[in-house]
Amino acid sequence: MPIKDKGCPHPINPAGSVATVPDAPAGRLADTSVPIHPALAARWSPRAFDPAAVLADADLTALLEAARWAPTWGRRQPVRFVVGLRDDPAFAAIADLLRRGNSYAKAAAALILLCADEGEDDKTALYSAVDTGAAMANLSIEAVSRGLIVHPMAGFDARGAAEVFQLPDGMRPLVVIAVGVLGDYARTDPQITERDAMPRERLPLNEVVLNW
């Protein structure tokens, strides 16, 4: 079956909740060879957060529930969360762990640290990381479906996170996810605007599907 290198972008249903996310900069929908779920097509990783937006309790709970119900190898459920809402001590602690290049995330409404219980051997450690990735994906799509934006970050002090939050041995901090509402690019650092305006690109399917 031949695969096209590029597909046609498809519009999000105006009646759906995904449409509440402003399309700025323009042209952010994934370019797919066939239509995919609107929340998947609309998911991207903006850096412009509205510093005044507040994350509702129901939305936060839904994001964590979506992550909790991600696939898990052997039913281990190794993923753990440290949640910080703007202005609370956990948020400040996570923000202080971010690398300089991720300082924009301090304007987010919430910062969520995802950790993995690596278990007792290499196999459980490997799949705990897989489970964490699945939880991150579920959380991200649930956020988009609620008109929110997310930006996952690997640029943080993982060793410092383990110390600050007194994580037990074998609990590995893997990613920080900034959650919030898309901000106004007219008030955003021009470097952020320039980075966010870069085209969204992925390798075509015929380069990533090995037997197609």
Side-chain angles (χ1 to χ4, degrees):
M1 178 178 179
I3 295 178
K4 299 177 181 179
D5 285 358
K6 291 186 177 181
C8 298
H10 53 283
I12 297 178
N13 182 356
S17 58
V18 178
T20 62
V21 179
D23 189 19
R28 307 312 295 169
L29 290 183
D31 186 6
T32 57
S33 55
V34 298
I36 62 176
H37 193 284
L40 291 169
R43 189 223 59 81
W44 61 297
S45 300
R47 298 172 180 84
F49 287 88
D50 181 348
V54 176
L55 185 62
D57 289 344
D59 287 335
L60 174 60
T61 300
L63 301 188
L64 296 172
E65 284 287 12
R68 182 170 74 99
W69 282 98
T72 180
W73 174 75
R75 305 182 71 175
R76 284 194 67 237
Q77 300 182 40
V79 185
R80 298 292 182 269
F81 309 88
V82 178
V83 180
L85 294 173
R86 189 192 297 117
D87 297 330
D88 73 17
F91 184 100
I94 298 172
D96 286 344
L97 295 166
L98 296 175
R99 303 299 185 195
R100 182 181 301 176
N102 289 328
S103 59
Y104 60 84
K106 295 178 181 181
L111 293 173
I112 302 175
L113 173 67
L114 268 63
C115 307
D117 175 2
E118 294 192 309
E120 300 179 353
D121 54 45
D122 290 344
K123 191 172 185 179
T124 56
L126 172 64
Y127 286 104
S128 69
V130 174
D131 282 8
T132 304
M136 181 181 73
N138 270 25
L139 186 154
S140 299
I141 300 308
E142 181 64 28
V144 172
S145 77
R146 291 173 172 267
L148 302 169
I149 63 170
V150 295
H151 195 111
M153 297 167 288
F156 71 100
D157 180 0
R159 180 175 297 178
E163 295 175 356
V164 167
F165 294 108
Q166 299 181 334
L167 301 179
D169 291 344
M171 186 70 67
R172 182 182 180 187
L174 285 177
V175 63
V176 172
I177 303 178
V179 182
V181 174
L182 191 64
D184 183 357
Y185 278 97
R187 300 181 180 181
T188 301
D189 185 321
Q191 292 185 339
I192 295 294
T193 302
E194 182 179 0
R195 291 176 71 184
D196 282 8
M198 295 176 64
R200 295 185 62 200
E201 297 179 338
R202 291 292 189 273
L203 294 172
L205 286 179
N206 58 10
E207 292 187 23
V208 297
V209 182
L210 302 180
N211 63 335
W212 210 339

